[in-house]
Amino acid sequence: MPRTTVPWLYNEFSHSGVNQADPDYPAYYEANMRRFRDFEKVAAEVAAALELTKDDLVVDLGAGTGAFAIPGARHCRKIIAVDTSRPMLDFAAEKARAAGVTNVEFAHAGFLTYEHAGENADAAVSIMALHHLPDFWKTVALSNVHAFLKPGGRFLLTDVVFSFPPDEYEKHLEDEATQIRRLTDNAFADEAYVHYRDEFSTYDWILEGMLDRAGFTIEKKTIHSPTRITYMAKNK
Ligand SMILES: C[S@@+](CC[C@H](N)C(=O)[O-])C[C@H]1O[C@@H](n2cnc3c(N)ncnc32)[C@H](O)[C@@H]1O
């Protein structure tokens, strides 16, 4: 039975928390992200970390407005940009067209519903998206990534992941919101509160157990701040 037809599957299109399926959201998101992210530079760093070559097929899960997929496409053969928000994908597709990027394919699906066809992928990327799933479903998502990657395939996962001691959570959540407020507009910074309240970021020790059980070896962990981590993992 295809996963999409089982009655108990988590509805990953429901967008709990910030509604990223709102048609006005992509332009707003992009404008705020551009205030503190250099998409080209980060894409080059991600490509280097994944050791991408021109032969590689890459899947970007939760691709959003194409922050990685569009500049990242220069470093590989093809990127499949997967996202549950149709407006985000449409915005990314228009950006790709305007930039003359032709090797990004767009898939309206999510971690749970994306069905990979053809050859397995050499690498996968997911930046700031896995926290949209509750923990049980994160593990299902990671198992799906494991299944469509080649043996030894690389997976770079960046997300809002908590590495602070549990009894210090109030300080660290407020610190992060304050930091975002310095860099973006106030309404965008308030999304940090929506994130804590209605989305599903978790602790590093939980996510690391999930990666292990889903079939990954964590090769490198970069703690950017008490609330953000990048994992470089490899299919066991
Ligand atoms: C904070 S944005 C990050 C976008 C992009 N990766 C970046 O680095 O800017 C999160 C994205 O994940 C998407 N998303 C939410 N739930 C998802 C799911 N279950 N599967 C795939 N994408 C999802 C949202 O639509 C949104 O585009």
Side-chain angles (χ1 to χ4, degrees):
M1 188 189 259
R3 274 198 301 275
T4 42
T5 60
V6 295
W8 38 261
L9 190 74
Y10 181 76
N11 180 6
E12 60 182 345
F13 295 88
S14 67
H15 288 267
S16 63
V18 176
N19 181 11
Q20 294 178 332
D22 177 335
D24 295 330
Y25 193 73
Y28 175 71
Y29 178 83
E30 177 89 352
N32 275 284
M33 284 293 129
R34 282 197 180 277
R35 292 186 188 189
F36 63 97
R37 283 172 73 181
D38 180 336
F39 294 157
E40 295 280 343
K41 181 167 170 278
V42 173
E45 288 165 3
V46 169
L50 287 167
E51 298 172 14
L52 293 185
T53 72
K54 291 283 187 193
D55 293 331
D56 285 343
L57 171 66
V58 181
V59 180
D60 180 3
L61 293 138
T65 58
F68 169 71
I70 296 166
R74 176 176 312 136
H75 301 274
C76 60
R77 175 165 47 98
K78 180 164 113 177
I79 296 191
I80 303 174
V82 179
D83 204 286
T84 47
S85 162
R86 173 61 77 190
M88 289 296 235
L89 283 179
D90 289 347
F91 188 93
E94 178 51 32
K95 263 174 65 182
R97 198 199 54 74
V101 172
T102 55
N103 57 338
V104 180
E105 188 180 299
F106 296 92
H108 187 215
F111 287 101
L112 306 176
T113 48
Y114 172 64
E115 299 202 20
H116 190 79
E119 59 170 314
N120 275 11
D122 299 282
V125 176
S126 183
I127 299 173
M128 308 300 272
L130 189 64
H131 64 265
H132 286 284
L133 294 176
D135 278 6
F136 170 78
W137 294 104
K138 286 190 188 79
T139 315
V140 176
L142 294 171
S143 300
N144 291 345
V145 176
H146 172 76
F148 70 64
L149 277 178
K150 289 178 180 163
R154 291 96 66 200
F155 179 33
L156 184 141
L157 173 64
T158 296
D159 206 355
V160 179
V161 182
F162 303 141
S163 56
F164 48 71
D167 60 351
E168 292 178 11
Y169 75 96
E170 288 185 37
K171 171 192 165 3
H172 290 290
L173 298 188
E174 280 298 346
D175 281 357
E176 191 203 34
T178 305
Q179 182 74 15
I180 299 171
R181 204 171 300 283
R182 278 197 203 109
L183 300 168
T184 64
D185 71 32
N186 269 328
F188 196 78
D190 284 343
E191 289 187 3
Y193 296 141
V194 180
H195 182 133
Y196 309 147
R197 193 177 61 226
D198 301 330
E199 299 178 7
F200 307 103
S201 277
T202 193
Y203 282 108
D204 54 354
W205 43 273
I206 296 177
L207 192 55
E208 286 158 27
M210 291 178 185
L211 280 162
D212 176 53
R213 283 163 182 76
F216 290 99
T217 302
I218 297 171
E219 300 210 310
K220 188 173 175 201
K221 171 182 179 180
T222 306
I223 301 182
H224 306 282
S225 76
T227 54
R228 197 165 59 90
I229 296 182
T230 293
Y231 294 101
M232 259 306 307
K234 200 169 242 187
N235 248 6
K236 282 183 200 162

